[in-house]
Amino acid sequence: MSSSCLEDLSIQDNQWYRIAHEMLSMADIEINGTRPFDIQVKNPEFFKRVLQEGSLGLGESYMDGWWECERLDCFFHRVLASGLERKLPHHFKDTLRIAAARLTNLQSKKRAWIVGKEHYDLGNDLFTLMLDPYMQYSCGYWKSAETLEQAQENKLRMICDKLQLQPGMRLLDIGCGWGGLSAFAAKNYGVSVVGVTISAEQQKLAQARCAGLDVDIQLQDYRDLHQQFDRIVSVGMFEHVGPKNYRTYFDVVERNLKPDGLFLLHTIGSNRTDMNVDPWINKYIFPNGCLPSVAHIAQTSEGHFVMEDWHNFGADYDRTLMAWYERFQQAWPQLAERYSERFERMFSYYLNACAGAFRSRDIQLWQVLFSPKGVEGGIRVPR
């Protein structure tokens, strides 16, 4: 089959092509066009597959090599900015999954370990090569930064300063990842840290990173925590908690935080309050995840804490993701021996799709600072 399925099969006469062409034109995207954000279709079944299966069909057909795009990030920016994704059909399986999320607890203590095994345990070689030296798998803070490493160091320092860390304090890091924040806080602020993760691979690397520091990295569910801390932080973990567990999550934070403590929540956020998660992301990247909304956080934290500050720097995630994608591409020759070509297409699609989502302001990145009863006179929060 030639590089253009349209040339060989007169697919323009196909009803699926006509519908897809009309929809894509709303985002100023051409089929087999010449611009970087136009798509190059290799398989004539692409149109039917995407129109019948929606987001899952779009992602899986890319993984199968049915279409190409020079700048996937720009493609997704245009699709999301035009609202095109809301016009795609919802597959019956997606409807069942959303219904199941409303009826059952997809992030129960038993199921919470799934995302650790399926994503965070993919391989420390992959994440070490893709991420910065601090191994931060969350949004960097690009104010005054020119490199990924500096943006992530800025983020770490801003978190520690917002928490007003002082030597001798005890810090709990819920969802500590590969220990970058735990090590940074212990080394630069003189605090004692307990970090928890549900990924065995993360724990292994985090323990090595934090060797010689006053840091204890534990493999456990956050719901099993029963200690007292001066400060609590949670970065990039709340997306895996799920709406049915939000109140439990804030219960856990409250019981582990001293009365004069501070809690910082760093999370991706949705503009809409619903249970819907992109089906492709759910299947291939973050199983059982769900992005919280402003209402989710406000309603379930009410009665537990005073909200001292809400900081949105979601635009910085676009730049972070594109930096990861650049490093992933550079590292691929080293990774190709262990990971398949299909995996490379999957991971490239994931990073670029997310970058486009942040660029279009479809999703956000929030840091929310809480205190148990409110600090008299308020808190001066650094930016």
Side-chain angles (χ1 to χ4, degrees):
M1 186 175 293
S2 77
S3 61
S4 172
C5 68
L6 307 189
E7 296 170 3
D8 290 350
L9 303 173
S10 300
I11 196 71
Q12 293 100 323
D13 295 332
N14 185 289
Q15 61 170 330
W16 301 108
Y17 166 82
R18 290 199 301 271
I19 296 170
H21 174 76
E22 182 179 334
M23 291 181 68
L24 287 170
S25 65
M26 297 169 62
D28 190 27
I29 295 170
E30 294 181 6
I31 299 168
N32 288 359
T34 58
R35 298 167 298 179
F37 50 80
D38 290 330
I39 62 171
Q40 311 300 316
V41 178
K42 310 295 184 182
N43 189 312
E45 294 299 315
F46 164 80
F47 309 105
K48 181 179 179 180
R49 184 176 183 179
V50 173
L51 289 169
Q52 286 189 333
E53 300 178 11
S55 172
L56 191 60
L58 184 67
E60 289 185 336
S61 62
Y62 183 82
M63 291 165 62
D64 292 340
W66 285 22
W67 62 283
E68 301 286 350
C69 181
E70 182 182 341
R71 288 292 302 272
L72 277 171
D73 58 315
C74 297
F75 166 79
F76 280 106
H77 174 217
R78 285 177 171 269
V79 166
L80 294 168
S82 66
L84 200 59
E85 86 286 357
R86 293 191 291 275
K87 297 178 176 61
L88 283 172
H90 291 286
H91 195 270
F92 181 60
K93 288 182 180 178
D94 298 337
T95 304
L96 291 178
R97 178 178 53 78
I98 295 167
R102 291 196 177 103
L103 296 172
T104 61
N105 187 356
L106 297 179
Q107 300 84 10
S108 64
K109 287 180 73 172
K110 183 177 180 180
R111 294 179 58 86
W113 298 83
I114 294 175
V115 68
K117 293 177 181 177
E118 294 194 12
H119 188 81
Y120 296 105
D121 286 350
L122 279 173
N124 286 336
D125 57 343
L126 165 66
F127 292 110
T128 300
L129 289 168
M130 186 181 80
L131 303 179
D132 66 288
Y134 295 104
M135 291 288 285
Q136 290 299 289
Y137 197 25
S138 59
C139 184
Y141 190 49
W142 288 87
K143 182 180 179 181
S144 75
E146 294 298 328
T147 66
L148 178 64
E149 180 177 357
Q150 187 58 57
Q152 295 294 11
E153 184 175 323
N154 288 353
K155 185 265 299 290
L156 294 175
R157 195 167 300 280
M158 180 168 65
I159 288 173
C160 293
D161 289 345
K162 284 182 178 182
L163 287 169
Q164 301 179 15
L165 296 182
Q166 300 292 330
M169 285 183 173
R170 293 193 77 216
L171 171 67
L172 171 63
D173 186 356
I174 302 177
C176 64
W178 293 275
L181 173 57
S182 297
F184 185 86
K187 192 179 300 182
N188 294 284
Y189 290 80
V191 296
S192 172
V193 187
V194 172
V196 296
T197 176
I198 55 169
S199 164
E201 290 298 306
Q202 284 188 334
Q203 183 196 32
K204 192 186 309 178
L205 197 151
Q207 287 176 331
R209 172 183 294 272
C210 297
L213 298 172
D214 191 1
V215 177
D216 179 18
I217 304 294
Q218 301 177 1
L219 187 67
Q220 70 173 107
D221 188 282
Y222 70 95
R223 283 162 283 208
D224 294 328
L225 288 162
H226 294 275
Q227 299 185 50
Q228 284 290 284
F229 297 90
D230 301 285
R231 301 289 189 264
I232 298 179
V233 65
S234 184
V235 178
M237 177 269 182
F238 197 64
E239 300 90 330
H240 305 300
V241 169
K244 288 191 173 294
N245 304 299
Y246 289 159
R247 288 204 175 275
T248 298
Y249 177 89
F250 284 109
D251 285 341
V252 170
V253 173
E254 184 179 41
R255 78 166 180 246
N256 284 275
L257 185 62
K258 292 181 179 179
D260 59 348
L262 291 173
F263 165 51
L264 187 139
L265 176 66
H266 174 120
T267 182
I268 298 172
S270 172
N271 295 333
R272 295 174 292 277
T273 303
D274 57 33
M275 303 288 282
N276 196 8
V277 179
D278 180 86
W280 186 87
I281 292 287
N282 181 73
K283 181 175 180 179
Y284 289 98
I285 308 299
F286 296 117
N288 305 321
C290 185
L291 298 185
S293 67
V294 169
H296 278 141
I297 295 173
Q299 291 169 4
T300 53
S301 65
E302 185 177 311
H304 292 284
F305 302 105
V306 171
M307 192 179 295
E308 299 287 355
D309 184 70
W310 194 300
H311 183 189
N312 182 5
F313 53 102
D316 286 21
Y317 224 144
D318 175 13
R319 194 168 175 183
T320 302
L321 283 152
M322 294 310 295
W324 290 344
Y325 177 58
E326 182 180 358
R327 289 176 61 84
F328 177 68
Q329 285 186 306
Q330 292 172 350
W332 183 247
Q334 295 174 252
L335 296 168
E337 294 181 4
R338 181 161 179 251
Y339 301 89
S340 68
E341 181 182 347
R342 183 176 170 83
F343 177 89
E344 188 272 337
R345 294 182 68 84
M346 178 194 77
F347 222 77
S348 296
Y349 184 91
Y350 147 59
L351 294 172
N352 281 278
C354 290
F358 281 103
R359 194 176 308 164
S360 66
R361 307 308 307 281
D362 187 62
I363 50 179
Q364 312 301 325
L365 189 284
W366 300 320
Q367 282 190 357
V368 191
L369 185 66
F370 296 95
S371 66
K373 296 181 180 178
V375 176
E376 188 173 340
I379 292 178
R380 194 174 186 85
V381 181
R383 288 282 190 269

